[in-house]
Amino acid sequence: MSEGAAKKGEKPRKFQAIRGTRDLLPPETALWNRVEQTAHEVFGAFGYGEIRPPIFEATELFARGVGGDTDIVSKEMYTLVDRSEKLEPDPSIGSMNVFFQKVRELYKSGEIPTDEQDESALKIAEDQWKKVDDLLEGGLKSESAGTEIYKLVLFYDALRLGTRVSLRPEATASVCRAYIEHNMQQLPQPVKLYYIGPMFRRERPQKGRYRQFYQIGAEVLGGTDAPAIDAEVIEMVMTFFERLELRGVQLSVNSIGCGECRPKYVELLRAELLKVKDKLGPDSQRRIDTNPLRVLDSKLESEQGIIAKLPRIGDHLCKDCADHYAAVKRELDLRGVQYRENWRLVRGLDYYMRTTFEITAQGLGSQDAVCGGGRYDGLVELLGGPPTKGIGFAIGEDRLILSLQEARKEVASGEWRVASGKIGCDVYVAWMGEKAYATAIRAAKTLRAASFSVELPPVEQKFGKALERADKLGAKYALILGDNEVTSGEWTLKTLTDGSQQKVTEPQLLDFLRKL
Ligand code: HAM
């Protein structure tokens, strides 16, 4: 019997979506589709094309791209070993030595990436196998045989037998990988790409924070780092949010300098933080060492007064960065984009330089960042490509939807319910009798081909019941087809909002509905 099968008489296990993941259900999915359709339209209007990168990539790509010390890479990735195809499935104990030999060969040729730990894990497993092999020769008489075999299984399980792959925690690294892989630097620059899809981070779930969440993002790669590009990218997100009528949108911008000026500022910041170390919480204390910039992110009430007095990066930018930042702000003004400057906006990924920005919206509680982005000029090179400019953003689609829903709750208008597709039925075909059924199928086909949404009951219903159901579904019209209608060729169309009724012939139906 397979592992998952229920034993006789036992209730089969009920499954639930894994913590931090959820089902998106109708009618809410209609809103998701509307948001995504708007993204296609707005981003298309700005000259972006859609890219759909894979959902998993080499772990190394994210470790290098996003940064090994970031929370995302160090704690939050879903990683698994994609077993080398050159290895047979689980070997029997008798053929373990051949198997280990093969693993050694693959380590050596680099076909299975390896480090010191992997090598010593292999050695431990091999030694254990020898022990078990001896026991086998003795006919497994020793009392400890079971334990030793169990240990062998554990050591074997701990071996790395393939490449590490991770579910993507974000997509910027993937887009850069694709840019390099497909030689996009040969295309007219810059290349403008956008993506929509799920990302995975093992964070603590709460409102607006999930382990599988969705991003709508865009990246501009190649060409120059003209400040107008930064401003246009931001203008595009703001246009998108405006089109969706997102409420309470606040844009914060900052510049975090470049490889020239940032390290000097970080040292200065570290020195200042060391002076106040004992007044800081444990997280910030740790970050003085690992990444002092992240201290600026702190939301701890007790640290706010201290942080306010720290040196600000804006006062320590090199001339090029200061000029770039000033020009980005001018370009935003030219486009009528309203923003606030926030010198503490450093962002949690390693690849950023110069422009960083974040957008918050209403109704989201503590997780109110609905979009984050910035410039990352060194990233493509870091991933093995040519020196390439880059800037982009990602919108948290779950949060965007939450905010839209919160705003709509306030308005609570029936109109919105219809517009959002909550009620997805235009015509309910109420039919009775076999002859009418054939006509009903034909009518449904014609209406659906003309993009009306149609509900066709699969079994006969009395007209009263049918109309009740049509009402429940929020249908706008009921097309009533009984023997009379079929014989006379005159169908009855009932407008459910006001109860009025009219007769229409089959050829008139579409025109009639379109005019209403
Ligand atoms: P990020 O700030 O890590 O940036 O994520 C962008 C947005 O994704 C956040 O502002 C938030 O709305 C949403 N988000 C992040 N984590 C979660 C979660 N666990 N649950 C729900 N929503 C979440 C990036 O990912 C960068 N790749 C953005 C970028 C693109 N920078 C340049 N290009």
Side-chain angles (χ1 to χ4, degrees):
M1 181 161 53
S2 73
E3 201 185 320
K7 292 202 188 89
K8 240 190 173 165
E10 232 176 55
K11 257 196 170 175
R13 175 184 162 193
K14 268 203 209 147
F15 293 95
Q16 279 185 331
I18 286 165
R19 186 168 141 78
T21 73
R22 63 208 178 116
D23 301 303
L24 304 172
L25 301 169
E28 191 184 300
T29 34
L31 180 54
W32 283 73
N33 281 326
R34 190 167 78 86
V35 162
E36 288 169 16
Q37 187 50 40
T38 308
H40 292 301
E41 286 165 19
V42 173
F43 296 177
F46 278 81
Y48 286 66
E50 186 183 1
I51 178 171
R52 297 191 188 194
I55 276 170
F56 62 96
E57 301 254 11
T59 303
E60 177 73 16
L61 172 72
F62 302 117
R64 238 198 293 161
V66 178
D69 288 339
T70 58
D71 284 354
I72 295 179
V73 170
S74 65
K75 306 196 272 209
E76 297 169 0
M77 284 211 294
Y78 286 94
T79 296
L80 56 116
V81 170
D82 189 12
R83 192 187 167 101
S84 166
E85 281 163 22
K86 301 221 164 122
L87 289 171
E88 16 159 329
D90 294 354
S92 64
I93 290 181
S95 63
M96 274 262 174
N97 54 341
V98 187
F99 179 81
F100 286 139
Q101 223 165 357
K102 185 82 198 168
V103 176
R104 263 192 196 289
E105 274 167 32
L106 294 174
Y107 276 1
K108 208 161 165 197
S109 66
E111 282 170 88
I112 297 182
T114 169
D115 54 26
E116 260 172 47
Q117 271 180 2
D118 295 321
E119 308 272 349
S120 57
L122 179 59
K123 176 91 185 44
I124 292 171
E126 277 175 328
D127 289 349
Q128 184 61 25
W129 170 75
K130 278 180 202 137
K131 226 185 213 176
V132 170
D133 198 39
D134 288 345
L135 289 172
L136 283 174
E137 274 186 12
L140 286 180
K141 286 195 196 104
S142 141
E143 264 179 29
S144 60
T147 315
E148 296 304 333
I149 290 175
Y150 183 59
K151 273 199 239 141
L152 176 61
V153 172
L154 289 185
F155 293 158
Y156 167 81
D157 274 350
L159 288 179
R160 176 160 20 153
L161 300 175
T163 339
R164 286 215 169 96
V165 298
S166 297
L167 296 184
R168 61 182 186 194
E170 61 108 54
T172 308
S174 302
V175 175
C176 290
R177 196 253 322 123
Y179 179 86
I180 301 166
E181 186 171 335
H182 303 290
N183 285 320
M184 291 192 215
Q185 67 271 21
Q186 319 239 313
L187 301 173
Q189 303 294 299
V191 174
K192 303 198 273 187
L193 297 167
Y194 73 94
Y195 49 86
I196 301 176
M199 309 290 155
F200 305 85
R201 295 184 194 173
R202 204 171 180 288
E203 294 189 87
R204 203 150 44 81
Q206 64 180 86
K207 180 183 170 190
R209 200 206 267 154
Y210 310 97
R211 291 180 168 178
Q212 173 173 338
F213 61 99
Y214 292 77
Q215 281 188 344
I216 301 178
E219 315 290 347
V220 182
L221 288 160
T224 74
D225 59 358
I229 296 183
D230 305 44
E232 196 187 75
V233 162
I234 296 174
E235 181 192 3
M236 181 168 87
V237 201
M238 297 301 270
T239 307
F240 174 57
F241 286 163
E242 235 165 70
R243 188 77 67 86
L244 292 171
E245 296 176 39
L246 186 68
R247 301 274 190 86
V249 176
Q250 300 259 16
L251 163 68
S252 304
V253 297
N254 191 23
S255 172
I256 56 164
C258 64
E260 269 299 303
C261 52
R262 195 178 44 240
K264 291 181 202 153
Y265 168 71
V266 170
E267 274 327 302
L268 176 69
L269 187 63
R270 182 174 278 134
E272 290 302 313
L273 285 168
L274 280 173
K275 290 185 198 161
V276 291
K277 184 172 179 179
D278 44 356
K279 294 198 192 108
L280 298 170
D283 279 345
S284 292
Q285 289 197 357
R286 199 167 23 83
R287 285 178 173 149
I288 299 180
D289 251 1
T290 55
N291 192 349
L293 281 177
R294 293 298 308 281
V295 176
L296 305 181
D297 258 355
S298 160
K299 299 216 163 77
L300 259 189
E301 202 46 55
S302 59
E303 294 180 345
Q304 301 309 308
I306 305 167
I307 294 173
K309 291 193 204 106
L310 291 169
R312 302 180 171 210
I313 189 151
D315 300 328
H316 299 272
L317 294 175
C318 62
K319 180 162 185 328
D320 283 354
C321 286
D323 288 350
H324 190 269
Y325 186 36
V328 170
K329 288 185 280 183
R330 261 198 319 276
E331 289 281 350
L332 287 173
D333 291 336
L334 275 175
R335 289 166 169 74
V337 174
Q338 293 193 350
Y339 58 88
R340 285 199 299 210
E341 286 184 73
N342 177 3
W343 70 276
R344 288 174 56 179
L345 182 64
V346 291
R347 315 248 322 115
L349 297 87
D350 276 0
Y351 49 61
Y352 292 114
M353 50 96 66
R354 290 195 173 163
T355 313
T356 54
F357 59 96
E358 218 159 73
I359 301 170
T360 53
Q362 88 174 23
L364 292 174
S366 65
Q367 303 299 313
D368 64 350
V370 76
C371 172
R375 180 164 279 290
Y376 50 83
D377 290 351
L379 182 56
V380 170
E381 206 175 346
L382 189 72
L383 297 175
T388 306
K389 307 290 181 199
I391 180 165
F393 63 81
I395 294 162
E397 193 177 358
D398 308 71
R399 294 185 191 175
L400 172 58
I401 300 272
L402 262 176
S403 181
L404 289 173
Q405 286 171 329
E406 290 290 324
R408 261 64 195 196
K409 252 190 235 157
E410 276 171 31
V411 180
S413 88
E415 209 178 303
W416 158 256
R417 287 162 61 84
V418 177
S420 73
K422 273 198 168 177
I423 299 159
C425 180
D426 294 316
V427 182
Y428 191 93
V429 185
W431 59 272
M432 264 188 86
E434 217 162 284
K435 261 205 262 156
Y437 185 46
T439 310
I441 290 177
R442 200 173 63 235
K445 200 179 239 186
T446 312
L447 287 167
R448 284 172 180 152
S451 295
F452 288 101
S453 93
V454 176
E455 206 52 48
L456 176 68
V459 289
E460 193 174 67
Q461 289 170 322
K462 296 235 162 69
F463 284 129
K465 264 251 156 353
L467 290 177
E468 230 173 69
R469 198 170 145 68
D471 223 30
K472 262 198 197 140
L473 288 175
K476 292 180 205 144
Y477 306 100
L479 180 64
I480 299 173
L481 298 173
D483 282 346
N484 284 348
E485 278 79 5
V486 176
T487 319
S488 70
E490 292 230 299
W491 299 352
T492 307
L493 188 71
K494 185 171 172 125
T495 306
L496 291 165
T497 41
D498 61 11
S500 66
Q501 253 176 236
Q502 47 262 303
K503 293 274 180 199
V504 285
T505 63
E506 184 167 357
Q508 286 170 338
L509 179 68
L510 283 183
D511 267 354
F512 194 87
L513 282 172
R514 282 194 185 117
K515 274 191 211 125
L516 285 170

